[in-house]
Amino acid sequence: MQFTGIVKPEEFRLVTRGYILAWRAALEKQSLAGATIRRKLAALASLYDYLCEANAVTHNPMRGVKRPKAETSEGKTPALGNAQARALLAAPPSDTLKGKRDRAILSVLLYHALRREELTKLLVKDFGQDLRGVVHLAVQGKGGKLRYLPAHAHSLRLMAEYLTAAGHGGEMDSPLFRHIRAPKAGAPASALTPGAVYSEVVGHYVKRVGISGDNMGPHALRVTAATSALEHQADIAKVQEWLGYASISTTRAYDRRGFRPEDSPTFKVAYS
């Protein structure tokens, strides 16, 4: 709207293919990633599809406008190796409340592949729902979609230790993961924020155990969990549901099975 000078809704009818091409060129001049430009163009195409369906415009000016090619099917966030994952899980101290909480958080992230926003939305009642005799985790995903994930035994043990130490295991409708500092008198307990999960938990312990590299945040733990599941013969369609994705093509960006350095022919060469 800013680019074309649209002020009133009916002015969307005046947008032509030429405007779209000029906007695409302006986005390219900003040195945006191809995926970002593709997403913006796709959003505009969806808007005009909706307007056409509502008979608010006569045509979709996005028709025939090419989008940048996808750079790669592999995501840019790295997956941790097995030794790194084990070191990260063991990094928080086991004799403090914060350490118990952080051990539980890292375990939930590495064994259930949650987004950090999903983790911060968890309530006490969401952890431990019994379905068919198996304890599950009720996860509120993007778009309010609810999915149930079987809880890993490692996380169950650490969660029990954390809730026992924290003392709010009986407060079913309160946040599961809280700030350690107690709230002011009369104030409700506040959930740990996504930013705090990044800086105070994942980022903190990644540095402590000496893991370096770009994009080493909660998303790297999600990628690690998905990669580990795929490496151990999990069905990719099941992994898609597990991650909460609508498209299996998005899940393939988490598949690092073809990029394991230890499987390279380099290490099969021998001259003895």
Side-chain angles (χ1 to χ4, degrees):
M1 290 175 66
Q2 184 179 22
F3 182 81
T4 58
I6 290 176
V7 177
K8 300 178 181 179
E10 54 266 26
E11 291 176 346
F12 276 99
R13 298 171 184 154
L14 305 178
V15 175
T16 64
R17 188 170 182 272
Y19 280 112
I20 306 299
L21 295 175
W23 184 50
R24 184 185 65 185
L27 294 174
E28 292 171 346
K29 287 182 180 179
Q30 296 176 34
S31 299
L32 298 175
T36 300
I37 297 175
R38 284 174 60 86
R39 185 177 68 250
K40 290 178 180 293
L41 292 173
L44 187 61
S46 295
L47 170 62
Y48 269 99
D49 280 341
Y50 170 78
L51 294 175
C52 286
E53 186 68 24
N55 202 30
V57 298
T58 59
H59 67 287
N60 188 340
M62 279 294 303
R63 294 288 168 83
V65 175
K66 294 183 178 180
R67 303 174 192 178
K69 293 182 179 179
E71 298 167 353
T72 175
S73 61
E74 182 191 2
K76 295 181 179 180
T77 303
L80 303 183
N82 291 341
Q84 291 176 318
R86 289 194 298 270
L88 193 59
L89 287 167
S94 59
D95 57 350
T96 66
L97 176 56
K98 182 179 186 303
K100 292 177 187 294
R101 183 202 66 182
D102 294 349
R103 279 181 171 245
I105 287 174
L106 293 172
S107 179
V108 169
L109 293 173
L110 277 168
Y111 282 105
H112 304 86
L114 266 61
R115 301 177 177 95
R116 53 176 168 160
E117 290 84 0
E118 294 172 341
L119 181 125
T120 58
K121 289 180 181 178
L122 289 174
L123 303 178
V124 173
K125 65 182 180 183
D126 293 330
F127 203 97
Q129 298 205 12
D130 196 323
L131 301 175
R132 296 186 179 182
V134 177
V135 178
H136 278 63
L137 189 64
V139 180
Q140 289 283 348
K142 288 186 176 181
K145 294 180 180 179
L146 182 66
R147 64 187 192 278
Y148 291 92
L149 308 180
H152 195 280
H154 184 272
S155 298
L156 284 175
R157 177 176 60 82
L158 294 179
M159 189 60 62
E161 293 177 4
Y162 160 59
L163 288 175
T164 298
H168 65 274
E171 302 172 21
M172 294 294 122
D173 292 315
S174 67
L176 179 60
F177 293 113
R178 308 173 172 185
H179 292 282
I180 298 302
R181 183 178 297 176
K184 294 181 181 179
S190 60
L192 202 63
T193 64
V197 173
Y198 185 98
S199 60
E200 297 178 19
V201 184
V202 179
H204 174 73
Y205 294 109
V206 160
K207 291 179 181 178
R208 174 176 287 190
V209 300
I211 300 174
S212 60
D214 296 331
N215 302 319
M216 283 298 179
H219 194 60
L221 274 58
R222 180 168 160 87
V223 173
T224 300
T227 300
S228 180
L230 290 167
E231 286 179 344
H232 290 88
Q233 287 74 54
D235 183 88
I236 193 168
K238 293 294 184 184
V239 174
Q240 172 195 339
E241 297 175 5
W242 189 59
L243 293 170
Y245 283 132
S247 170
I248 201 168
S249 62
T250 309
T251 308
R252 290 195 179 98
Y254 289 74
D255 190 352
R256 302 292 196 277
R257 288 174 293 179
F259 302 92
R260 286 165 49 93
E262 57 267 37
D263 292 336
S264 171
T266 298
F267 302 110
K268 308 299 181 184
V269 177
Y271 297 105
S272 57

